[in-house]
Amino acid sequence: MATRQDVAKLAGVSPTTVSRVLNNNGYVSQDVRKRVEEAIRELQFVPNRVARSLRTQKCGQIACITHGLKNTFYAEIVQGIEEVALENGYTYSIYSTSVENEKYINLILEGFYDGLIVLTSSEFNNLVDSKKIREVIPTCFYWDLGYETKLPNVAVNLKKAMKNTTNYLLDCGHKEIVYLGYPKEGIEGVKENPRFLGYVDALKAKGIEVSSDHFLFVSNWNDTLTAGYEKVRELLDRGVSFTAIAACNDLMAIGAIRALSERGIRVPEDVSVTGFDDVEIAKMITPALTTVSLPKKEIGHTLMKSLLRQMNGEKLEGKIQEYESELMERETVQKI
Amino acid sequence: MATRQDVAKLAGVSPTTVSRVLNNNGYVSQDVRKRVEEAIRELQFVPNRVARSLRTQKCGQIACITHGLKNTFYAEIVQGIEEVALENGYTYSIYSTSVENEKYINLILEGFYDGLIVLTSSEFNNLVDSKKIREVIPTCFYWDLGYETKLPNVAVNLKKAMKNTTNYLLDCGHKEIVYLGYPKEGIEGVKENPRFLGYVDALKAKGIEVSSDHFLFVSNWNDTLTAGYEKVRELLDRGVSFTAIAACNDLMAIGAIRALSERGIRVPEDVSVTGFDDVEIAKMITPALTTVSLPKKEIGHTLMKSLLRQMNGEKLEGKIQEYESELMERETVQKI
DNA sequence: ATGAAAGCGCTAACAC
DNA sequence: GTGTTAGCGCTTTCAT
């Protein structure tokens, strides 16, 4: 592997000059530049990023924390992040929240990353002291918790989104609506989840009783197809009466639909179901899932752009951008 | 951010000694070790990975090339990779094949990675000279092409898998089976795809005519829900007669089912459909998808383990492991 | 058992 | 315009 030294020797110039043409700063005469460029080509020289990082104290890499890519919701956000990262010469690593606390922190403190994007605020908050992390490394959060934070974040108005959805269900004549999704932790902390808040708000506004029989809570790290499936089976076993399910993500909704249809309950004829996220597959299943569309890629873009700004020295605080969502009326909801 | 120097000073020893306790080599007296450890704790010292990398010429990071995580098939393999990577102190970056040729190569040559895992052999092969890459960096491929290679790879017996699946369809009485999926490039190169080979083999073995009317080809980078959906719509528009569709991945199968049901064609009553990969959602849609199950996580594990071996100096060549698959009989196929 | 010193490949301040 | 030099934080001989 050729080094800058080798190039310098071959071109008959000093290493500094090579740097200059490489980084396009300082003055280099046409003639010399040409010779250097030729030498670079001949030796197939590629600058060593590790050495450069050590010198410049920035390594052109960011870390991104998710809780697994199996929910394509995250995969799509990550795609958005990747696009603007690469455009700006950054690479990124992905970590799943499943990794233990300490490993993370060290990985991050090791100086191998210039910035950090956290897609799973709640788990991350439980794991580490976010404020502390932020002091050592520029950080941007995708914030989906129910309270405000000073941490730089981009968010979606989830409360409003779920309120809309619930209202839609209500307008379709549903009164017994099951909520399937996130609490923060247990029933007490539950108020902190914006989606749940939206659900409760909508019900109350129409004078409908909010019954804990209709709460199907799932922890944040377990918002999967299987969880949706099993929660609804349990619900069915309990014999609770309901005519609709409002899920907190599409995967859980799809799991719910499966549980329903295995018991011979038809969607939407017998029970209506709504999802959340509008993952690509939502419109491809039959019946196509009525769900809430979020601008996933844009979220990724904004997350990365905000991080970039911070890495350039800007101080950012609190909500940087709040996106709106859109209810996609498809085939899993029916008027009764 | 504290450096090793600071620790040394605080502990009243030389920087070398600090290194020794950090890396657990050489002799350090109990007493000194304790002092150093205390200093480390007090200063919250974390060794700088960039500096270490520069010195040791290995950076504890690998790159992984996919064509996007939106197909959870790749996400699951990546999860497997992550598990053994982290276990062994490696971090990883993910790249989508959508990035242009040159950027890649440079990224990889920049010395920011100790190894490379390629999940999308075909695209990668088109993009770069795999053999050349391999000379500069240990590499391991997930190989799903129809010809053998000397490049270190882990594979699944895809030909056999698709042959099985086609036979299953045949045994169910289907004779007009549509193939939905990968050619290498155009019809001529088509023979190189193992799945296609398996499909043709099965048909021929039963003396059934192989008709190009039943080929629905999709390029490798376009094996999506939407592609499956649109290809099948086109097929329907052409008025070709068929009773089954064998798809090359679950996403395309799901897209196909959607196209079918939008036209009032029932699955499996009117047309049977099979998928490939057994992605988590396959069993959750209704009807549950009959598909081929591959050991995705294990593939990830083996990929990473093989890379580890190479990074430790071992020379690996050709097929390292070939996995078998399993047909999951569910609800999208019916006897006729 | 511990320390001194060289050097990984690069950049940037400073000289010429 | 171009070269010299110091140094980023660490590991690793080689002395002691």
Side-chain angles (χ1 to χ4, degrees):
Chain A
M1 196 103 291
T3 77
R4 200 197 39 159
Q5 280 280 1
D6 303 328
V7 176
K9 208 189 290 175
L10 183 61
V13 298
S14 79
T16 312
T17 306
V18 179
S19 275
R20 275 200 262 270
V21 351
L22 242 34
N23 302 323
N24 247 328
N25 62 6
Y27 305 92
V28 185
S29 69
Q30 276 307 317
D31 177 49
V32 171
R33 158 164 272 122
K34 218 171 191 166
R35 270 189 0 247
V36 171
E37 274 164 357
E38 226 154 76
I40 289 177
R41 215 169 312 117
E42 196 173 327
L43 296 173
Q44 303 199 43
F45 168 73
V46 181
N48 182 306
R49 195 157 141 208
V50 176
R52 168 182 282 160
S53 299
L54 179 59
R55 181 63 238 236
T56 59
Q57 300 290 59
K58 44 191 79 206
C59 61
Q61 187 163 249
I62 66 146
C64 176
I65 296 184
T66 69
H67 63 199
L69 274 353
K70 270 168 70 180
N71 184 346
T72 53
F73 173 70
Y74 292 110
E76 287 188 48
I77 294 185
V78 167
Q79 203 180 312
I81 294 174
E82 178 180 28
E83 284 176 6
V84 354
L86 255 30
E87 226 166 69
N88 289 274
Y90 280 84
T91 56
Y92 66 99
S93 295
I94 295 181
Y95 296 100
S96 302
T97 334
S98 49
V99 184
E100 321 86 88
N101 189 343
E102 256 182 84
K103 265 199 189 158
Y104 265 139
I105 305 306
N106 274 2
L107 247 18
I108 289 160
L109 295 179
E110 271 173 341
F112 221 53
Y113 302 104
D114 297 333
L116 179 65
I117 291 180
V118 179
L119 261 22
T120 48
S121 316
S122 52
E123 286 111 314
F124 191 76
N125 274 340
N126 290 345
L127 242 41
V128 309
D129 181 349
S130 303
K131 268 153 220 141
K132 207 172 134 205
I133 272 291
R134 214 203 135 194
E135 278 165 25
V136 5
I137 187 172
T139 305
C140 199
F141 289 76
Y142 167 65
W143 197 255
D144 66 351
L145 298 183
Y147 56 95
E148 296 290 313
T149 179
K150 292 225 163 180
L151 299 168
N153 70 88
V154 351
V156 175
N157 193 335
L158 296 171
K159 182 174 170 186
K160 186 168 155 195
M162 190 52 118
K163 194 169 173 179
N164 272 350
T165 309
T166 312
N167 274 331
Y168 172 65
L169 253 11
L170 255 13
D171 291 345
C172 289
H174 295 277
K175 292 202 166 51
E176 298 175 317
I177 303 174
V178 169
Y179 173 89
L180 170 58
Y182 314 107
K184 195 190 171 211
E185 43 199 15
I187 307 292
E188 328 83 84
V190 109
K191 290 236 174 56
E192 302 203 8
N193 192 285
R195 283 177 258 229
F196 185 70
L197 249 32
Y199 162 82
V200 170
D201 265 26
L203 254 40
K204 282 194 177 156
K206 303 255 158 130
I208 302 209
E209 198 200 346
V210 180
S211 155
S212 65
D213 281 353
H214 290 150
F215 301 165
L216 251 32
F217 290 135
V218 152
S219 50
N220 293 55
W221 41 267
N222 191 29
D223 57 346
T224 61
L225 279 161
T226 310
Y229 174 77
E230 280 172 356
K231 285 288 169 186
V232 170
R233 285 175 68 100
E234 286 167 31
L235 180 72
L236 259 14
D237 289 341
R238 264 186 271 134
V240 174
S241 146
F242 66 96
T243 66
I245 300 178
C248 283
N249 75 24
D250 290 342
L251 261 27
M252 289 191 283
I254 292 171
I257 292 173
R258 178 74 201 174
L260 259 13
S261 54
E262 279 185 3
R263 300 285 178 99
I265 300 167
R266 294 161 307 163
V267 175
E269 293 83 351
D270 304 322
V271 165
S272 291
V273 177
T274 61
F276 213 104
D277 293 348
D278 196 21
V279 134
E280 200 178 7
I281 207 165
K283 59 174 164 301
M284 283 293 177
I285 59 169
T286 301
L289 188 63
T290 292
T291 186
V292 176
S293 173
L294 312 188
K296 297 169 279 293
K297 222 175 196 180
E298 283 78 6
I299 292 173
H301 289 165
T302 307
L303 242 16
M304 186 63 207
K305 280 181 193 161
S306 313
L307 193 60
L308 244 19
R309 284 168 62 191
Q310 290 186 69
M311 294 189 299
N312 287 331
E314 212 173 315
K315 287 277 162 250
L316 257 37
E317 194 173 278
K319 194 163 290 171
I320 294 156
Q321 180 146 8
E322 179 168 74
Y323 285 100
E324 293 298 326
S325 60
E326 187 188 354
L327 182 64
M328 312 299 288
E329 302 184 22
R330 294 205 269 246
E331 307 162 355
T332 53
V333 174
Q334 196 173 73
K335 278 211 162 90
I336 57 172
Chain B
M1 195 104 293
T3 76
R4 200 197 39 156
Q5 281 279 1
D6 302 328
V7 176
K9 208 188 291 174
L10 182 61
V13 297
S14 79
T16 313
T17 307
V18 179
S19 275
R20 277 200 261 272
V21 350
L22 243 33
N23 302 323
N24 246 328
N25 62 6
Y27 305 93
V28 185
S29 70
Q30 276 306 317
D31 176 51
V32 170
R33 157 162 273 125
K34 217 169 191 169
R35 270 187 2 244
V36 171
E37 274 164 356
E38 226 154 75
I40 289 176
R41 215 169 311 118
E42 197 173 326
L43 296 173
Q44 303 199 43
F45 167 74
V46 180
N48 182 304
R49 195 158 141 206
V50 175
R52 168 182 280 158
S53 299
L54 179 58
R55 182 62 237 240
T56 60
Q57 300 289 61
K58 44 190 77 207
C59 62
Q61 186 163 251
I62 65 145
C64 176
I65 296 183
T66 69
H67 63 199
L69 273 355
K70 269 167 70 180
N71 184 346
T72 54
F73 173 70
Y74 292 109
E76 288 190 45
I77 294 186
V78 168
Q79 203 180 313
I81 293 173
E82 179 180 28
E83 285 176 5
V84 355
L86 254 32
E87 227 166 69
N88 289 275
Y90 279 84
T91 56
Y92 66 98
S93 293
I94 294 181
Y95 296 99
S96 302
T97 334
S98 49
V99 183
E100 323 86 87
N101 189 343
E102 256 182 82
K103 265 200 188 157
Y104 263 138
I105 304 306
N106 274 1
L107 245 21
I108 288 160
L109 295 179
E110 270 173 341
F112 222 52
Y113 302 104
D114 297 333
L116 179 64
I117 292 180
V118 179
L119 260 23
T120 48
S121 315
S122 52
E123 285 110 316
F124 190 76
N125 274 341
N126 290 345
L127 242 42
V128 309
D129 182 349
S130 303
K131 270 153 217 141
K132 206 172 136 205
I133 273 289
R134 214 204 135 193
E135 278 165 25
V136 6
I137 187 171
T139 305
C140 197
F141 289 77
Y142 167 64
W143 197 255
D144 65 351
L145 299 183
Y147 56 94
E148 296 289 314
T149 179
K150 291 225 164 182
L151 299 167
N153 71 87
V154 352
V156 174
N157 192 334
L158 296 171
K159 182 174 171 187
K160 186 168 155 196
M162 191 51 119
K163 193 169 172 180
N164 272 350
T165 308
T166 312
N167 274 330
Y168 172 65
L169 252 12
L170 256 11
D171 291 344
C172 288
H174 295 278
K175 291 200 167 51
E176 297 176 318
I177 304 173
V178 169
Y179 174 90
L180 170 59
Y182 314 108
K184 196 190 170 210
E185 43 199 15
I187 308 291
E188 329 83 83
V190 109
K191 289 235 175 57
E192 302 204 8
N193 192 286
R195 283 177 257 230
F196 186 69
L197 249 32
Y199 162 83
V200 170
D201 264 26
L203 256 39
K204 282 195 179 154
K206 302 255 160 133
I208 303 212
E209 199 200 345
V210 180
S211 156
S212 66
D213 281 352
H214 289 149
F215 301 164
L216 251 32
F217 290 136
V218 152
S219 49
N220 292 54
W221 41 266
N222 191 28
D223 56 347
T224 61
L225 278 161
T226 310
Y229 175 76
E230 281 171 357
K231 284 288 169 186
V232 170
R233 284 176 68 100
E234 285 167 31
L235 179 74
L236 259 15
D237 289 341
R238 264 184 272 134
V240 174
S241 146
F242 66 97
T243 66
I245 299 178
C248 283
N249 76 23
D250 289 343
L251 261 28
M252 289 191 283
I254 292 171
I257 292 172
R258 179 73 201 174
L260 258 15
S261 54
E262 279 186 4
R263 300 284 177 101
I265 300 167
R266 293 162 307 163
V267 176
E269 294 82 352
D270 303 322
V271 165
S272 291
V273 176
T274 61
F276 214 103
D277 292 349
D278 196 21
V279 134
E280 199 178 7
I281 207 165
K283 59 174 165 301
M284 283 293 177
I285 59 168
T286 302
L289 188 63
T290 292
T291 187
V292 177
S293 173
L294 313 188
K296 297 169 279 293
K297 223 176 195 177
E298 282 77 7
I299 292 173
H301 289 165
T302 306
L303 242 14
M304 186 63 208
K305 281 181 192 161
S306 312
L307 192 61
L308 243 21
R309 286 166 62 191
Q310 291 186 69
M311 295 189 298
N312 287 330
E314 212 174 314
K315 287 278 164 249
L316 258 37
E317 193 173 277
K319 195 163 290 170
I320 294 156
Q321 179 146 8
E322 180 169 75
Y323 284 101
E324 292 298 326
S325 60
E326 187 188 356
L327 182 65
M328 311 299 288
E329 301 183 23
R330 294 206 268 246
E331 307 163 357
T332 52
V333 174
Q334 196 172 72
K335 278 211 164 90
I336 57 171

Coordinates of all heavy atoms in Angstrom, one line a residue, chain B residues 4 19 23 45 48 51-52 55, chain D residues 8-15:
Chain B
R4 N -3.5 8.9 27.3 CA -2.7 7.9 28.1 C -1.6 8.7 28.9 O -1.3 8.2 30.0 CB -2.1 6.9 27.1 CG -1.7 5.7 27.7 CD -0.7 5.0 26.7 NE 0.1 6.1 26.1 CZ 1.3 6.0 25.5 NH1 1.8 4.8 25.4 NH2 1.9 7.0 25.1
S19 N -0.1 1.5 29.0 CA -0.4 0.6 27.9 C -0.4 -0.8 28.3 O -1.3 -1.6 28.0 CB 0.6 0.8 26.8 OG 0.3 1.8 25.9
N23 N -3.5 -3.3 27.9 CA -3.5 -4.4 26.9 C -3.2 -5.7 27.6 O -3.1 -6.7 26.9 CB -2.6 -4.1 25.8 CG -2.9 -2.8 25.1 OD1 -4.1 -2.5 24.9 ND2 -1.9 -2.0 24.7
F45 N -10.7 7.7 31.5 CA -9.9 7.5 30.3 C -10.4 6.4 29.4 O -10.7 5.3 29.9 CB -8.5 7.3 30.7 CG -7.6 6.8 29.5 CD1 -7.2 7.7 28.5 CD2 -7.2 5.5 29.5 CE1 -6.5 7.3 27.5 CE2 -6.4 5.1 28.4 CZ -6.1 5.9 27.4
N48 N -7.9 5.8 22.7 CA -8.3 6.3 21.4 C -8.1 5.3 20.3 O -7.0 4.9 20.1 CB -7.5 7.6 21.1 CG -8.0 8.2 19.8 OD1 -7.9 7.5 18.8 ND2 -8.4 9.4 19.8
A51 N -5.9 6.3 17.1 CA -4.5 6.2 17.3 C -4.0 4.8 17.4 O -3.0 4.4 16.7 CB -4.1 6.9 18.6
R52 N -4.7 4.0 18.1 CA -4.3 2.6 18.1 C -4.4 2.0 16.7 O -3.5 1.2 16.4 CB -5.3 1.8 19.0 CG -5.2 0.3 19.0 CD -6.2 -0.4 19.8 NE -5.8 -0.4 21.2 CZ -6.6 -0.5 22.2 NH1 -7.9 -0.6 22.0 NH2 -6.1 -0.6 23.5
R55 N -1.4 2.8 14.7 CA -0.2 2.1 15.1 C -0.2 0.6 14.7 O 0.7 0.1 14.2 CB -0.1 2.2 16.7 CG 1.1 1.6 17.3 CD 2.4 2.2 16.8 NE 3.2 1.2 16.3 CZ 4.4 0.9 16.7 NH1 5.0 1.6 17.7 NH2 5.1 -0.1 16.2
Chain D
dC8 P 0.5 16.2 20.3 OP1 0.3 17.4 21.1 OP2 1.4 15.1 20.8 O5' -0.9 15.6 20.0 C5' -1.8 16.3 19.2 C4' -2.6 15.3 18.4 O4' -1.8 15.0 17.2 C3' -2.8 14.0 19.1 O3' -4.0 14.0 19.7 C2' -2.8 12.9 17.9 C1' -2.1 13.7 16.7 N1 -0.8 13.1 16.2 C2 -0.7 12.8 14.9 O2 -1.7 12.9 14.1 N3 0.5 12.3 14.4 C4 1.5 12.2 15.3 N4 2.7 11.8 14.8 C5 1.4 12.6 16.7 C6 0.2 13.0 17.1
dG9 P -4.1 13.8 21.3 OP1 -5.5 14.2 21.7 OP2 -3.0 14.4 21.9 O5' -4.0 12.2 21.5 C5' -5.0 11.3 21.0 C4' -4.4 9.9 21.0 O4' -3.3 9.9 20.1 C3' -4.0 9.4 22.4 O3' -4.7 8.2 22.6 C2' -2.5 9.3 22.2 C1' -2.3 9.0 20.7 N9 -1.1 9.4 20.1 C8 -0.3 10.4 20.5 N7 0.8 10.5 19.8 C5 0.7 9.5 18.9 C6 1.6 9.1 17.9 O6 2.7 9.6 17.5 N1 1.2 8.0 17.2 C2 0.0 7.3 17.5 N2 -0.3 6.3 16.7 N3 -0.9 7.7 18.4 C4 -0.4 8.8 19.1
dC10 P -4.4 7.3 23.9 OP1 -5.6 6.7 24.3 OP2 -3.5 8.0 24.9 O5' -3.5 6.2 23.2 C5' -4.1 5.3 22.3 C4' -3.1 4.6 21.5 O4' -2.1 5.6 21.1 C3' -2.2 3.5 22.2 O3' -2.9 2.3 21.9 C2' -0.9 3.6 21.4 C1' -0.9 4.9 20.7 N1 0.2 5.8 20.9 C2 1.3 5.7 20.1 O2 1.3 4.8 19.2 N3 2.4 6.5 20.3 C4 2.3 7.5 21.2 N4 3.4 8.3 21.4 C5 1.2 7.6 22.1 C6 0.2 6.8 21.9
dT11 P -2.4 1.0 22.7 OP1 -3.4 0.0 22.6 OP2 -1.9 1.5 24.1 O5' -1.1 0.6 21.9 C5' -1.3 0.0 20.6 C4' 0.0 -0.4 20.0 O4' 0.9 0.7 20.1 C3' 0.7 -1.6 20.7 O3' 1.3 -2.3 19.6 C2' 1.9 -0.9 21.5 C1' 2.2 0.3 20.6 N1 2.8 1.5 21.2 C2 3.9 2.1 20.7 O2 4.5 1.6 19.7 N3 4.4 3.2 21.3 C4 3.8 3.8 22.4 O4 4.3 4.9 22.8 C5 2.6 3.2 22.9 C7 1.9 3.8 24.1 C6 2.2 2.1 22.3
dT12 P 1.7 -3.8 19.8 OP1 1.1 -4.6 18.7 OP2 1.3 -4.2 21.2 O5' 3.3 -3.8 19.7 C5' 3.8 -3.0 18.6 C4' 5.3 -2.8 18.9 O4' 5.5 -1.6 19.6 C3' 6.0 -3.9 19.7 O3' 7.2 -4.2 19.1 C2' 6.2 -3.3 21.0 C1' 6.4 -1.9 20.7 N1 6.2 -0.8 21.7 C2 7.0 0.3 21.7 O2 7.9 0.5 20.9 N3 6.7 1.2 22.7 C4 5.8 1.1 23.7 O4 5.6 1.9 24.5 C5 5.0 -0.2 23.6 C7 3.9 -0.4 24.7 C6 5.3 -1.0 22.7
dT13 P 7.7 -5.7 19.0 OP1 8.5 -5.8 17.7 OP2 6.6 -6.6 19.3 O5' 8.8 -5.8 20.2 C5' 10.1 -6.1 19.9 C4' 10.9 -4.9 19.4 O4' 10.2 -3.7 19.9 C3' 12.3 -4.9 19.9 O3' 13.2 -4.7 18.8 C2' 12.4 -3.8 20.9 C1' 11.2 -2.9 20.6 N1 10.5 -2.3 21.8 C2 10.9 -1.0 22.2 O2 11.7 -0.4 21.7 N3 10.2 -0.6 23.3 C4 9.2 -1.3 24.0 O4 8.7 -0.8 25.0 C5 8.9 -2.6 23.5 C7 7.8 -3.4 24.2 C6 9.5 -3.0 22.4
dC14 P 14.8 -5.2 19.0 OP1 15.5 -5.0 17.7 OP2 14.7 -6.6 19.5 O5' 15.4 -4.2 20.1 C5' 15.5 -2.8 19.8 C4' 15.8 -2.1 21.1 O4' 14.7 -1.9 21.9 C3' 16.9 -2.9 21.9 O3' 18.0 -1.9 22.2 C2' 16.2 -3.2 23.2 C1' 15.1 -2.1 23.3 N1 13.9 -2.5 24.1 C2 13.4 -1.5 24.9 O2 13.9 -0.4 25.0 N3 12.3 -1.8 25.7 C4 11.7 -3.0 25.6 N4 10.7 -3.3 26.3 C5 12.3 -4.0 24.7 C6 13.4 -3.7 24.0
dA15 P 19.4 -2.5 22.5 OP1 20.4 -2.3 21.4 OP2 19.3 -3.9 23.0 O5' 19.8 -1.6 23.7 C5' 19.1 -1.7 24.9 C4' 19.0 -0.4 25.6 O4' 17.6 -0.2 26.0 C3' 19.8 -0.4 26.9 O3' 20.1 0.9 27.3 C2' 18.8 -1.1 27.9 C1' 17.5 -0.6 27.4 N9 16.4 -1.7 27.5 C8 16.4 -2.9 26.8 N7 15.4 -3.6 27.1 C5 14.7 -2.9 28.1 C6 13.5 -3.1 28.8 N6 12.8 -4.2 28.7 N1 13.2 -2.2 29.7 C2 13.9 -1.0 29.8 N3 15.0 -0.7 29.2 C4 15.3 -1.7 28.3

